Amino acid sequence: MLEPKQMSRAVIVGHKSIFEETVDALHKANLFQIEDFNEDESGLLIGRPFENVDDVSKKLIKIRSIASLLGVKDVGSKKQDTKSVISSLDATLDKLDAELDVKAEQKSKLEAELKEIDSLKKELIPFANISLDFDLYRGYEHLSVFSGYVKEDVESAVSRITSSYEIFYDAKESTMVLFVTKDKAAEVADLLAGFAFREFRIPNISGMPSESLSSITSKESGLLKQVKAIDEEIESLKDKYSDFILASNEVLSIEAQKSETPLRVATSDSTFIIDGWVPEDEFVELERIVKAATNGRAFVSKQEMMKEDVNIVPIEYNNSKMAAPFQEIMDLYARPKYKELDPTTLIFISFPLFYGMILGDIGYALILLAMAVGIKKMISSDAIKPLMNILIYCQISTLIFGVIYGEFLGFPLASLHTEHGVTEGLIKGFATVNLLASPVADEMITFPVHRTHLVMTMIIATALVGFIHINIGYLLGFINENRKHGISAAIFEKGSWFVIEIGLFLAILGYAAMLPSVTTILGVVVFLIGFVMLLKGEGIKGPIELPSLLSNSLSYTRIIAVGLSSIYIASTVNLIAFEMIWQPGTPIGGATIFAIIVFLFGHALNTVLSIIAPGLHSLRLQYVEFFGKFYEGGGRKYDPFGYIRKYTEE
C-alpha cells in the first residue's frame, strides 16, 4: 500500500510475419508499456508503419474534421460493435461527408450574401430619412455632390457662398446631401471642413433609400431563416451521426495507434524486438496473451533490472479504492520514484484530518457534503469524480470535528459559562462540560471544545500534531534512504534527527527540573552526537536545516489560526444579521428580509472560503513540511500500450 506496483522489464521477440498479430494482442491486453527504441550500433533499425497507416490517417483526419464542424462532444453513449462500425465506416463516412459539403457550401454562400447585405445596410442607413432617389445622386456634368455627416445644419453658411444649391439635411442623424455648381465646389469644401464634415460613399443602387433599406432588411431576414434552417439540418445530422462519429473516431484512433507502433520498435530484416514494462503480477498473463495470439511463435522473456533502470521504471499506484482519489494530490506534486515509498495512503488520513480540524463546523460540512455528492452524480467526468471524493472525505472529517467543537454556521451549539457571563448556544439546555484544566494559560478544556476560549491550548496541540507528522516523515525518509543507499546512510541522514530530538527533549526536561539536573548534561551530549551524525550524513546542509525543526512544527499552528478566522467571519455575519439589523423576537418586516439576505450572502461567501483556505493550508502542510522530510518524487507514469474503449466493444 505504501509502495508502487512492482514492475518487470520484458522483451518480446518474434518473426515479422506475426508482428501485426503481436501488436494487436498487446493493444487489446492494455498491460505492456512499450519503451521506445533508439537506433544504436546494434544494427537494428526502427520499423516502418503498417501498410494501412495512410488510409487510416486520412479517414481519421476526415472524421475529426466532421466532428469539429458538427460540434460533437465527448459524451457517454451506448457502445457499438466494432465490426459493425468498420463494415459501415466507408459508406457512412462518404455519405456524411457529401451531405455536410452541400450544407456547408449552401451556408457559406448565404453567409457571404449576408455580409454583402450588412455592408450595404451600413451604407444605406445614413440616407434612410432623405427622400431622394439614388439615381439623382450621380450623372451630373456641372454639379458637385457632397454627402456625409456634419455637426450642424450648414444651409445658411452655404447660402452666403452661392444661391445655386440644393440641400437635404436629416437633423436626427446629422446627415447631409448637398448639390452645388462645380465652380463653387472648392469654396464649399473649405466651408464644410469647418463643420467637421465627414464624407461617406453613395450606394450604387437605384430607388428611394427608405424603400431600398426596407427591401434588403426583408431579404436579410429571409436569408437568416435559410441559414437557421441549414443549422437545424446540420444539428439533425449531428444527432443522427453523433454515436457513429464517436465510435468511428475511437476505432480509427486505435488502428492509427497500432499502425504506428513499428516506429517505436527495433526490427531487423526478419525479426522484431519489443522492449517494455509490465506489472510483475501481470507478467504471466502477458506471456499467455502473446503465446495465444501467435500460436507460440513469439517469445516473452523477463529481463534483469539494471541499476540505471530504476530511474526509468514507469510508476503505477497500488492503493486501495478509498485512498485512490488522493493520487490526484500526488500527481499535482510528482509521482514517487520506483524505490520510493508512496505516501498516498498517509495523505488519505492526514489531509482530511487537517481540513476537518481547520473548518470543524457542522453547517458548512453539511452544505459542502451535499454539494460534493450532487456534483459527483451530475458530472461523470473522470477528472471531477476523484476531486469530489476528496471533498466528501474532508467534509466527513469536518462533520466529526464540528461535533467536537460544537459549531453550526458560526453559532455554538452548547452554552458556555465563564467568569465573564454566559454565551448562549443554539440548543437550549445543552451546556458545555468541564473536562480538565489545560496546562497552559489557565484554560479549561471542555466538551464541546470552544476554540475561541482555548487558543493557547490549541496552538500547543496543533504544534504537537505537526511534530508527530514531521517525525513520521523522518521515519519514512529513513526507510527510503535505507532502500537507496543502505542502513548506514539512513542512520546518519535521517536517524540523526531522532537523536537530536531526544537530546533536546532530555535537555529541556532537565532544565525544567522535571528530571534530575544531570539529564540536562546528558541531553546536550546526545544532541551533540546527533549533530555530528547529521553533519556526516548531510554535510553542511543538515545543520543549516536545524531551525526548520521548530519552524516546521510551528507552521502547523495555521490549523487553529485559519480555523479561528473562519469562526470569526461566520460569527460576524451572524452578529450583523441577527443583532445589528434584526433581532429574533422583534416584529417581522423589511429588516427581517434584509437580515436573511445578509445571512445567506455572508455564509455563501464563507462557504467558498471554507473550500479554498482549509484545502490550500492542508495541502501546504503535506507538500512543504511533510514531503520535505522524505519525499523526492519524479517518477514516470505507467502508460500501457492500449486504448480504454468508451464507444465501441468487440
Side-chain angles (χ1 to χ4, degrees):
M1 238 167 38
L2 288 176
E3 296 185 70
K5 278 191 177 181
Q6 296 301 296
M7 306 296 288
S8 294
R9 189 157 196 168
V11 171
I12 304 169
V13 182
H15 194 272
K16 276 189 173 180
S17 61
I18 57 168
F19 194 8
E20 289 195 36
E21 290 91 332
T22 307
V23 169
D24 189 57
L26 291 175
H27 195 277
K28 287 178 182 176
N30 198 32
L31 286 175
F32 187 67
Q33 177 169 324
I34 297 174
E35 194 71 29
D36 292 346
F37 172 70
N38 296 313
E39 292 184 357
D40 51 25
E41 297 177 358
S42 64
L44 297 171
L45 301 173
I46 293 173
R48 293 182 178 180
F50 295 144
E51 293 180 359
N52 66 338
V53 67
D54 289 337
D55 183 51
V56 169
S57 297
K58 288 176 183 177
K59 289 177 182 177
L60 189 57
I61 290 171
K62 184 180 286 187
I63 202 73
R64 287 178 177 174
S65 174
I66 290 171
S68 177
L69 182 63
L70 291 178
V72 176
K73 293 183 179 179
D74 188 16
V75 294
S77 63
K78 185 179 179 181
K79 288 189 175 183
Q80 299 185 43
D81 179 59
T82 302
K83 290 182 179 179
S84 174
V85 173
I86 293 173
S87 64
S88 64
L89 180 60
D90 290 341
T92 308
L93 187 56
D94 290 341
K95 180 183 176 183
L96 177 57
D97 192 36
E99 287 186 48
L100 273 176
D101 280 346
V102 172
K103 302 299 179 190
E105 187 177 356
Q106 289 175 346
K107 186 176 178 180
S108 179
K109 287 180 179 178
L110 290 171
E111 287 177 341
E113 196 171 348
L114 280 167
K115 283 183 179 179
E116 290 179 4
I117 287 176
D118 185 61
S119 179
L120 183 57
K121 272 181 69 176
K122 289 177 180 177
E123 292 180 356
L124 282 172
I125 288 172
F127 299 94
N129 297 324
I130 296 177
S131 299
L132 187 65
D133 194 300
F134 281 117
D135 286 335
L136 300 176
Y137 283 69
R138 61 183 74 86
Y140 301 106
E141 291 184 16
H142 304 292
L143 291 178
S144 292
V145 182
F146 295 90
S147 61
Y149 293 103
V150 288
K151 65 180 181 181
E152 59 184 87
D153 191 354
V154 298
E155 184 174 0
S156 60
V158 172
S159 65
R160 288 194 291 270
I161 295 175
T162 178
S163 60
S164 301
Y165 70 90
E166 188 73 30
I167 188 169
F168 299 86
Y169 180 69
D170 177 10
K172 184 178 179 182
E173 299 291 338
S174 297
T175 304
M176 176 204 73
V177 178
L178 174 64
F179 298 85
V180 297
T181 56
K182 285 195 173 180
D183 59 323
K184 297 294 183 179
E187 290 182 61
V188 171
D190 291 339
L191 171 71
L192 293 177
F195 287 88
F197 175 71
R198 181 161 57 89
E199 188 174 15
F200 45 64
R201 198 177 77 86
I202 300 170
N204 190 25
I205 59 172
S206 299
M208 299 295 287
S210 58
E211 294 173 1
S212 298
L213 185 59
S214 177
S215 174
I216 66 166
T217 301
S218 177
K219 186 178 180 181
E220 181 184 42
S221 178
L223 291 174
L224 287 171
K225 287 180 181 178
Q226 291 181 55
V227 170
K228 185 179 179 182
I230 292 173
D231 284 338
E232 289 173 353
E233 290 173 9
I234 291 175
E235 188 66 25
S236 68
L237 288 176
K238 174 184 172 181
D239 295 337
K240 182 179 178 181
Y241 290 103
S242 182
D243 290 345
F244 163 79
I245 290 169
L246 291 170
S248 299
N249 180 62
E250 184 168 273
V251 167
L252 291 169
S253 296
I254 290 171
E255 289 303 315
Q257 195 177 45
K258 290 192 289 187
S259 298
E260 294 170 357
T261 304
L263 297 172
R264 308 175 62 190
V265 172
T267 63
S268 66
D269 292 338
S270 57
T271 60
F272 66 86
I273 302 173
I274 308 177
D275 181 20
W277 303 90
V278 63
E280 197 171 81
D281 56 358
E282 299 284 1
F283 181 80
V284 174
E285 177 65 10
L286 178 69
E287 278 188 307
R288 186 196 66 77
I289 289 168
V290 172
K291 185 177 180 180
T294 62
N295 293 320
R297 291 184 292 162
F299 302 94
V300 183
S301 61
K302 186 183 290 188
Q303 304 296 300
E304 183 179 349
M305 193 178 294
M306 308 298 288
K307 187 176 180 180
E308 58 269 20
D309 289 341
V310 172
N311 293 324
I312 63 169
V313 180
I315 304 301
E316 173 71 343
Y317 289 114
N318 188 28
N319 296 299
S320 66
K321 190 175 180 181
M322 287 186 69
F326 290 86
Q327 292 168 184
E328 298 292 324
I329 290 177
M330 289 300 305
D331 284 340
L332 281 174
Y333 191 87
R335 288 200 173 208
K337 288 189 174 180
Y338 188 59
K339 291 295 184 181
E340 202 170 23
L341 291 174
D342 172 18
T344 303
T345 302
L346 298 175
I347 294 176
F348 163 64
I349 298 168
S350 60
F351 185 85
L353 176 69
F354 296 154
Y355 188 106
M357 289 176 71
I358 291 171
L359 186 53
D361 187 288
I362 296 172
Y364 291 126
L366 293 175
I367 293 169
L368 293 173
L369 184 62
M371 185 184 77
V373 171
I375 292 174
K376 184 180 173 182
K377 287 185 177 180
M378 288 188 293
I379 302 175
S380 58
S381 168
D382 292 337
I384 298 296
K385 190 174 179 180
L387 297 178
M388 291 304 105
N389 284 333
I390 291 172
L391 190 57
I392 288 170
Y393 291 146
C394 289
Q395 299 321 311
I396 292 171
S397 173
T398 302
L399 199 59
I400 293 169
F401 278 99
V403 173
I404 294 172
Y405 296 153
E407 294 172 17
F408 186 91
L409 296 179
F411 292 107
L413 292 179
S415 59
L416 177 65
H417 296 262
T418 67
E419 57 185 14
H420 301 293
V422 178
T423 303
E424 292 294 336
L426 277 182
I427 303 175
K428 297 296 182 184
F430 179 33
T432 53
V433 179
N434 292 339
L435 298 178
L436 69 155
S438 171
V440 294
D442 295 326
E443 295 173 339
M444 177 61 68
I445 299 174
T446 62
F447 179 81
V449 176
H450 285 257
R451 287 187 281 179
T452 53
H453 293 81
L454 277 173
V455 175
M456 290 305 300
T457 302
M458 292 295 290
I459 287 174
I460 300 298
T462 51
L464 183 59
V465 167
F467 182 75
I468 295 168
H469 196 226
I470 287 169
N471 276 279
I472 292 172
Y474 283 132
L475 180 60
L476 297 177
F478 184 92
I479 297 170
N480 278 337
E481 284 300 318
N482 182 35
R483 289 181 169 190
K484 293 176 185 177
H485 306 114
I487 187 67
S488 177
I491 290 173
F492 284 109
E493 286 191 30
K494 299 299 176 182
S496 56
W497 286 97
F498 293 111
V499 176
I500 287 171
E501 287 175 9
I502 292 170
L504 288 172
F505 187 65
L506 290 173
I508 291 170
L509 289 179
Y511 183 78
M514 297 178 71
L515 288 176
S517 58
V518 71
T519 310
T520 305
I521 299 171
L522 178 62
V524 172
V525 172
V526 172
F527 172 83
L528 291 174
I529 292 171
F531 184 86
V532 172
M533 290 172 63
L534 183 63
L535 194 62
K536 179 176 174 57
E538 296 192 14
I540 192 64
K541 184 184 74 171
I544 290 174
E545 290 183 357
L546 262 178
S548 70
L549 189 62
L550 177 62
S551 62
N552 286 167
S553 297
L554 292 177
S555 185
Y556 285 77
T557 59
R558 70 184 63 241
I559 292 172
I560 179 63
V562 179
L564 287 174
S565 70
S566 178
I567 294 173
Y568 289 133
I569 290 172
S571 300
T572 302
V573 170
N574 297 336
L575 177 67
I576 293 171
F578 298 121
E579 289 192 31
M580 295 176 67
I581 298 176
W582 176 75
Q583 294 182 352
T586 58
I588 295 174
T592 312
I593 297 171
F594 184 51
I596 292 171
I597 293 171
V598 169
F599 178 81
L600 294 176
F601 177 78
H603 284 294
L605 178 61
N606 204 26
T607 300
V608 175
L609 295 175
S610 297
I611 299 174
I612 298 171
L616 286 178
H617 287 286
S618 299
L619 205 59
R620 183 230 150 81
L621 293 175
Q622 310 298 328
Y623 286 168
V624 179
E625 278 73 21
F626 187 49
F627 282 8
K629 303 299 175 283
F630 73 98
Y631 192 71
E632 183 180 351
R636 189 167 58 129
K637 183 181 179 182
Y638 170 60
D639 185 18
F641 176 62
Y643 198 104
I644 299 174
R645 294 175 181 265
K646 292 176 65 177
Y647 307 110
T648 58
E649 58 187 359
E650 295 183 324

